[in-house]
Amino acid sequence: MYGDGVTDDVDRTAFRRAEKKYKLYYDQNSRKKKQPRSVDLTEVVDFKSILDTFNQSGETPNGVHVIKGDFDCPVIRLVNRPGFYFIPGALTVEQQCQWIRESLMSFPQPPNRTNHNAHYGPIQDLFAAAGEEKILVEDEHSPKESESLSNGHPRRWKFCDKKGNVSLKGYGGNSILASVLLRKLRWSTLGLQFEWSKRNYDVSLPHNKIPDELCQLVKRLAMPAMPAGDDFKPEAAIVNYFASGDTLGGHLDDMELDWSKPIVSMSLGCKAIFLLGGKSRDDEPLAMFLRSGDVVLMAGEARECFHGVPRIFTDSEHSEIASLEKHLSTEYDRCFLDYITSSRININIRQVF
């Protein structure tokens, strides 16, 4: 499944070279505010542009097929990547806004787990606490770290209101701003929980079910990649959160039982570059743009292909989130807009069994 990045001994692989090519770097010699180093994007495939051309002339590049069938949206298929499907603009703006809200407010809620569980245990209402400028403070009566681990992480932390200009040290013990924790949120799990230490799903772990509305949406989105006569069963999801400079190293999604069933991947927020490689890191990966509302399906042979996200674009010129800015313009939605203007969310839904 997800790797922890790649080490120096694989820097020479084609996949690693592509990751480094598109990764965000800053010019070190700039006398002004640090500026992102320019990157050559001419080789990045733009499926939105390809679809626009197809709609006008019926033409596509060699090896790219556009499928227009019973499905609601045109689906793009690559001849040299069987099992990979790209659906540009599959989600309406309203759907994008809905699942951005859910990804921040609902999906990280206990008993679902996040990357923060290992240190802080379950954290309730993180997004709301960040908006209220609260601080997570270690309970002075909490057990020692060793006792906490042996007892299965009893709750040792609580949110407190910010006390004027009091520094974090003034709260006693360990403390951290909720806004900092939100920015450090990297993943949350929904539905059946993945046990990272065992590298497998643990059906005994408590969890919130995937919402019915999301299940119905994903079942429809999965149709182009499903074996004839089968229905997709959404059983687990991993939600990834990206800020500027964040990456997702090359990896395989190989922990599910039946690879003929697709992974359904929904992109929300700032535009990103997605790398689709082959069955070896030595295979040259294909770089493509992922925009908010795009959906990727990976099934069959595509499940054996290394893939990752080396770059997201948070600058106004490249992020391409004007439609989200328009629809998240109310006072209620201001907090979601503040987050998503510099972030990307990816929801990966899987059939486990």
Side-chain angles (χ1 to χ4, degrees):
M1 187 170 271
Y2 295 120
D4 296 325
V6 283
T7 54
D8 291 340
D9 60 345
V10 292
D11 275 2
R12 292 184 296 274
T13 67
F15 200 98
R16 180 55 173 160
R17 287 195 297 272
E19 288 179 314
K20 296 179 74 171
K21 175 181 178 179
Y22 294 114
K23 184 179 178 181
L24 175 63
Y25 294 101
Y26 290 97
D27 287 327
Q28 300 296 322
N29 297 325
S30 176
R31 296 181 180 180
K32 303 178 182 179
K33 180 180 178 181
K34 63 178 183 179
Q35 298 293 326
R37 189 180 303 172
S38 61
V39 58
D40 182 4
L41 301 176
T42 56
E43 295 182 354
V44 182
V45 177
D46 188 339
F47 286 123
K48 179 178 181 295
S49 177
I50 289 174
L51 185 58
D52 289 342
T53 300
F54 174 81
N55 289 333
Q56 293 175 5
S57 66
E59 298 179 352
T60 60
N62 290 334
V64 178
H65 290 173
V66 176
I67 306 169
K68 282 192 172 182
D70 297 333
F71 192 66
D72 296 348
C73 306
V75 179
I76 294 177
R77 184 173 65 84
L78 302 178
V79 172
N80 64 351
R81 291 292 189 277
F84 177 83
Y85 303 83
F86 193 105
I87 314 177
L91 304 178
T92 66
V93 178
E94 290 78 14
Q95 288 172 326
Q96 295 170 47
C97 293
Q98 175 184 359
W99 299 117
I100 287 170
R101 297 184 192 103
E102 294 293 323
S103 295
L104 294 170
M105 292 286 289
S106 301
F107 295 168
Q109 292 284 60
N112 294 342
R113 297 188 302 160
T114 76
N115 57 293
H116 290 319
N117 277 62
H119 185 74
Y120 300 102
I123 299 178
Q124 192 82 28
D125 300 325
L126 173 58
F127 187 74
E132 296 167 3
E133 298 185 338
K134 291 191 174 183
I135 296 174
L136 191 67
V137 179
E138 187 176 19
D139 189 337
E140 60 182 4
H141 300 297
S142 64
K144 295 179 180 179
E145 185 70 18
S146 58
E147 296 173 357
S148 172
L149 291 171
S150 64
N151 291 331
H153 274 306
R155 191 178 182 95
R156 302 183 301 110
W157 301 77
K158 61 182 180 181
F159 281 119
C160 296
D161 293 327
K162 191 174 181 180
K163 305 174 185 176
N165 295 322
V166 177
S167 68
L168 291 181
K169 293 181 179 179
Y171 291 85
N174 296 318
S175 57
I176 186 171
L177 291 169
S179 58
V180 174
L181 278 177
L182 179 62
R183 279 301 171 189
K184 291 184 176 182
L185 181 65
R186 292 294 175 264
W187 55 262
S188 64
T189 48
L190 184 64
L192 295 179
Q193 301 288 287
F194 190 81
E195 177 54 72
W196 299 93
S197 62
K198 299 177 181 178
R199 291 184 57 77
N200 210 334
Y201 290 93
D202 188 341
V203 297
S204 68
L205 291 174
H207 59 272
N208 294 324
K209 291 183 178 180
I210 300 175
D212 288 341
E213 188 174 358
L214 181 56
C215 285
Q216 294 306 314
L217 172 62
V218 170
K219 286 180 180 180
R220 181 179 63 81
L221 292 171
M223 288 173 56
M226 286 297 293
D230 281 2
D231 289 325
F232 185 72
K233 299 175 182 177
E235 295 172 319
I238 297 177
V239 185
N240 296 113
Y241 305 85
F242 298 82
S244 178
D246 289 344
T247 64
L248 182 62
H251 65 279
L252 300 175
D253 290 301
D254 54 1
M255 291 299 163
E256 289 72 39
L257 189 64
D258 185 355
W259 289 4
S260 70
K261 307 300 190 299
I263 287 179
V264 182
S265 179
M266 300 163 47
S267 289
L268 304 168
C270 293
K271 187 173 71 176
I273 291 178
F274 178 76
L275 293 178
L276 176 65
K279 297 181 182 181
S280 165
R281 293 184 189 273
D282 292 320
D283 296 326
E284 194 71 34
L286 179 69
M288 62 193 76
F289 289 122
L290 275 176
R291 294 177 173 87
S292 191
D294 290 344
V295 168
V296 164
L297 310 176
M298 297 181 70
E301 288 188 37
R303 293 289 298 268
E304 303 177 64
C305 294
F306 282 92
H307 55 281
V309 178
R311 179 75 172 264
I312 75 163
F313 297 94
T314 60
D315 61 289
S316 58
E317 181 182 356
H318 296 99
S319 62
E320 298 192 33
I321 57 170
S323 59
L324 291 177
E325 292 174 332
K326 181 178 179 180
H327 281 76
L328 294 173
S329 59
T330 66
E331 187 63 30
Y332 171 78
D333 283 328
R334 176 58 58 181
C335 55
F336 301 106
L337 179 61
D338 289 344
Y339 180 91
I340 209 63
T341 51
S342 60
S343 306
R344 174 180 180 262
I345 298 172
N346 190 65
I347 307 176
N348 290 280
I349 304 97
R350 303 118 187 282
Q351 178 173 329
V352 177
F353 301 111

